[in-house]
Amino acid sequence: MMNKEVEVKSPTELETEAAALYQRGEYLSAAQGFDAALDGYRALGDELKAAEMANNSSVAYLQAGEGEAALQRVGWTVDVFVRAQDDRLQGMALGNRAAALESLGRLDAALEDYQRAADLLAGAGADEFRLQVMKAISALQLRRGRAVEALSAMQAGVEGLRRPGWKERMLQRLLKLPGRLLGR
């Protein structure tokens, strides 16, 4: 009879391992690791941390090209963050859900979630996350042939930064050119 020891990992250890897998580009394994951490946090009764793990899992599944799995993971988390009254996490969850919807070709629903995410992130002072959402809105509007709206979204994103870096300052200058050329 063999005596095998089973290694039991805490949700925090699972989360750390999944994050390392994600950093190495092993997205599917990372997603599965975040799913395991999610289950662990749920078992401990920490629904907020479980929702964060679901969001991490969603991002990893999206990177792995698994849009449907990404959408399934993030779908319920928005409500958790609403109940927690955390606009930053709610905005991030909406942005993640929007990205999953976009990957599945559900562009109207994606744009709606991106807009809600941008508003929440602006209110929460999460400028960098808001900029990422505004870039996504801009790219989506470009794909839909709405160049003026895409330009406006990108301008709003970089103008909303409290402390823009040199790249963002350069982008701000470039985005002001069309208005100047049109005499506005």
Side-chain angles (χ1 to χ4, degrees):
M1 211 176 195
M2 292 187 87
N3 184 10
K4 289 189 178 183
E5 288 188 30
V6 177
E7 182 181 358
V8 177
K9 295 182 181 177
S10 72
T12 305
E13 291 169 323
L14 293 168
E15 177 184 358
T16 301
E17 288 177 8
L21 288 166
Y22 185 88
Q23 291 299 319
R24 290 196 305 264
E26 297 176 38
Y27 301 119
L28 195 53
S29 295
Q32 293 164 347
F34 286 127
D35 285 344
L38 183 163
D39 292 340
Y41 284 119
R42 265 199 173 144
L44 295 174
D46 191 341
E47 199 66 13
L48 192 61
K49 196 65 174 165
E52 288 182 44
M53 293 304 100
N55 271 277
N56 291 346
S57 176
S58 176
V59 171
Y61 275 118
L62 199 56
Q63 289 293 323
E66 301 287 335
E68 191 61 48
L71 183 58
Q72 288 175 1
R73 291 312 178 281
V74 76
W76 60 276
T77 66
V78 174
D79 292 335
V80 172
F81 299 132
V82 168
R83 285 192 302 274
Q85 299 179 342
D86 191 322
D87 287 348
R88 184 182 68 81
L89 289 176
Q90 183 185 352
M92 291 172 67
L94 282 165
N96 291 340
R97 186 170 75 186
L101 288 165
E102 183 178 359
S103 78
L104 297 170
R106 296 169 54 188
L107 304 184
D108 289 335
L111 191 55
E112 187 177 311
D113 274 356
Y114 279 137
Q115 295 286 2
R116 287 179 54 209
D119 292 344
L120 285 164
L121 292 167
D127 297 343
E128 292 299 322
F129 291 121
R130 181 176 181 271
L131 177 59
Q132 295 307 312
V133 169
M134 295 306 290
K135 285 179 181 179
I137 290 172
S138 181
L140 183 53
Q141 288 174 329
L142 271 178
R143 281 179 51 196
R144 301 183 92 191
R146 295 156 68 183
V148 174
E149 290 171 332
L151 180 64
S152 294
M154 186 58 73
Q155 283 177 320
V158 295
E159 293 299 327
L161 292 173
R162 294 185 229 298
R163 293 185 198 105
W166 72 270
K167 286 182 185 178
E168 290 81 14
R169 286 193 303 272
M170 184 64 79
L171 186 57
Q172 285 173 340
R173 287 188 190 112
L174 288 172
L175 290 171
K176 288 180 183 175
L177 281 178
R180 286 189 204 138
L181 293 174
L182 295 173
R184 294 185 201 162

